[in-house]
Short mmCIF file of all heavy atoms in Angstrom, two decimals:
data_model
loop_
_atom_site.label_atom_id
_atom_site.label_comp_id
_atom_site.label_asym_id
_atom_site.label_seq_id
_atom_site.Cartn_x
_atom_site.Cartn_y
_atom_site.Cartn_z
N ALA A 61 110.36 113.57 125.71
CA ALA A 61 109.72 113.65 127.01
C ALA A 61 109.99 115.01 127.62
O ALA A 61 111.04 115.62 127.38
CB ALA A 61 110.24 112.54 127.92
N ASP A 62 109.06 115.49 128.41
CA ASP A 62 109.22 116.81 129.03
C ASP A 62 110.50 116.90 129.87
O ASP A 62 111.14 117.95 129.94
CB ASP A 62 108.02 117.14 129.91
CG ASP A 62 106.77 117.44 129.10
OD1 ASP A 62 106.89 117.74 127.90
OD2 ASP A 62 105.67 117.37 129.68
N SER A 63 110.89 115.80 130.47
CA SER A 63 112.03 115.80 131.36
C SER A 63 113.36 116.03 130.65
O SER A 63 114.35 116.39 131.30
CB SER A 63 112.10 114.48 132.14
OG SER A 63 112.20 113.38 131.26
N VAL A 64 113.39 115.84 129.33
CA VAL A 64 114.65 115.98 128.60
C VAL A 64 114.61 117.07 127.54
O VAL A 64 115.63 117.34 126.90
CB VAL A 64 115.07 114.65 127.94
CG1 VAL A 64 115.15 113.55 128.99
CG2 VAL A 64 114.12 114.27 126.81
N LYS A 65 113.47 117.70 127.35
CA LYS A 65 113.36 118.77 126.35
C LYS A 65 114.36 119.88 126.64
O LYS A 65 114.50 120.32 127.78
CB LYS A 65 111.95 119.34 126.32
CG LYS A 65 110.93 118.43 125.67
CD LYS A 65 109.55 119.08 125.66
CE LYS A 65 108.52 118.19 124.99
NZ LYS A 65 107.16 118.78 125.02
N GLY A 66 115.05 120.31 125.61
CA GLY A 66 116.04 121.36 125.75
C GLY A 66 117.41 120.85 126.13
O GLY A 66 118.38 121.62 126.07
N ARG A 67 117.51 119.59 126.52
CA ARG A 67 118.79 119.01 126.91
C ARG A 67 119.23 117.88 125.99
O ARG A 67 120.42 117.72 125.73
CB ARG A 67 118.73 118.50 128.35
CG ARG A 67 118.43 119.58 129.37
CD ARG A 67 118.61 119.05 130.80
NE ARG A 67 117.70 117.95 131.09
CZ ARG A 67 118.09 116.72 131.42
NH1 ARG A 67 119.39 116.45 131.51
NH2 ARG A 67 117.20 115.78 131.68
N PHE A 68 118.27 117.08 125.54
CA PHE A 68 118.57 115.94 124.68
C PHE A 68 118.12 116.23 123.26
O PHE A 68 117.10 116.89 123.03
CB PHE A 68 117.85 114.68 125.17
CG PHE A 68 118.34 114.13 126.48
CD1 PHE A 68 119.24 114.82 127.27
CD2 PHE A 68 117.88 112.90 126.91
CE1 PHE A 68 119.69 114.31 128.48
CE2 PHE A 68 118.31 112.37 128.12
CZ PHE A 68 119.22 113.08 128.90
N THR A 69 118.86 115.71 122.30
CA THR A 69 118.51 115.84 120.90
C THR A 69 118.70 114.49 120.21
O THR A 69 119.75 113.88 120.33
CB THR A 69 119.37 116.89 120.19
OG1 THR A 69 119.22 118.16 120.83
CG2 THR A 69 118.95 117.02 118.72
N MET A 70 117.67 114.05 119.50
CA MET A 70 117.76 112.81 118.77
C MET A 70 117.96 113.10 117.29
O MET A 70 117.39 114.05 116.76
CB MET A 70 116.50 111.97 118.97
CG MET A 70 116.62 110.55 118.44
SD MET A 70 115.21 109.51 118.92
CE MET A 70 115.68 107.96 118.16
N SER A 71 118.78 112.30 116.64
CA SER A 71 119.03 112.46 115.22
C SER A 71 119.15 111.09 114.57
O SER A 71 119.24 110.07 115.26
CB SER A 71 120.29 113.29 114.97
OG SER A 71 121.44 112.65 115.51
N ARG A 72 119.16 111.08 113.25
CA ARG A 72 119.27 109.83 112.53
C ARG A 72 120.22 109.96 111.36
O ARG A 72 120.45 111.07 110.84
CB ARG A 72 117.90 109.37 112.03
CG ARG A 72 117.40 110.12 110.78
CD ARG A 72 115.92 109.91 110.55
NE ARG A 72 115.47 110.24 109.20
CZ ARG A 72 115.32 111.46 108.72
NH1 ARG A 72 115.61 112.51 109.47
NH2 ARG A 72 114.86 111.64 107.49
N ASP A 73 120.78 108.84 110.94
CA ASP A 73 121.61 108.76 109.76
C ASP A 73 121.08 107.58 108.96
O ASP A 73 121.42 106.43 109.25
CB ASP A 73 123.08 108.58 110.11
CG ASP A 73 123.99 108.66 108.91
OD1 ASP A 73 123.54 108.35 107.78
OD2 ASP A 73 125.17 109.03 109.08
N ASN A 74 120.24 107.86 107.99
CA ASN A 74 119.60 106.79 107.23
C ASN A 74 120.61 105.90 106.50
O ASN A 74 120.41 104.69 106.40
CB ASN A 74 118.60 107.38 106.23
CG ASN A 74 117.41 108.03 106.89
OD1 ASN A 74 117.56 108.86 107.79
ND2 ASN A 74 116.21 107.66 106.45
N ALA A 75 121.67 106.51 106.00
CA ALA A 75 122.68 105.75 105.27
C ALA A 75 123.37 104.73 106.16
O ALA A 75 123.79 103.67 105.69
CB ALA A 75 123.70 106.69 104.64
N LYS A 76 123.51 105.04 107.43
CA LYS A 76 124.17 104.15 108.37
C LYS A 76 123.20 103.28 109.16
O LYS A 76 123.63 102.46 109.97
CB LYS A 76 125.04 104.95 109.33
CG LYS A 76 126.19 105.67 108.69
CD LYS A 76 127.03 106.40 109.73
CE LYS A 76 128.21 107.10 109.11
NZ LYS A 76 129.03 107.82 110.12
N ASN A 77 121.90 103.49 108.94
CA ASN A 77 120.88 102.80 109.73
C ASN A 77 121.14 102.97 111.22
O ASN A 77 121.11 102.01 111.99
CB ASN A 77 120.83 101.32 109.37
CG ASN A 77 120.23 101.06 108.00
OD1 ASN A 77 119.26 101.71 107.61
ND2 ASN A 77 120.80 100.12 107.26
N ALA A 78 121.39 104.20 111.59
CA ALA A 78 121.73 104.50 112.97
C ALA A 78 120.97 105.72 113.47
O ALA A 78 120.63 106.62 112.69
CB ALA A 78 123.23 104.73 113.12
#
Side-chain angles (χ1 to χ4, degrees):
D62 289 341
S63 59
V64 305
K65 286 181 179 178
R67 299 189 299 119
F68 292 9
T69 302
M70 191 171 180
S71 62
R72 77 196 198 285
D73 187 333
N74 293 51
K76 295 182 178 180
N77 288 320

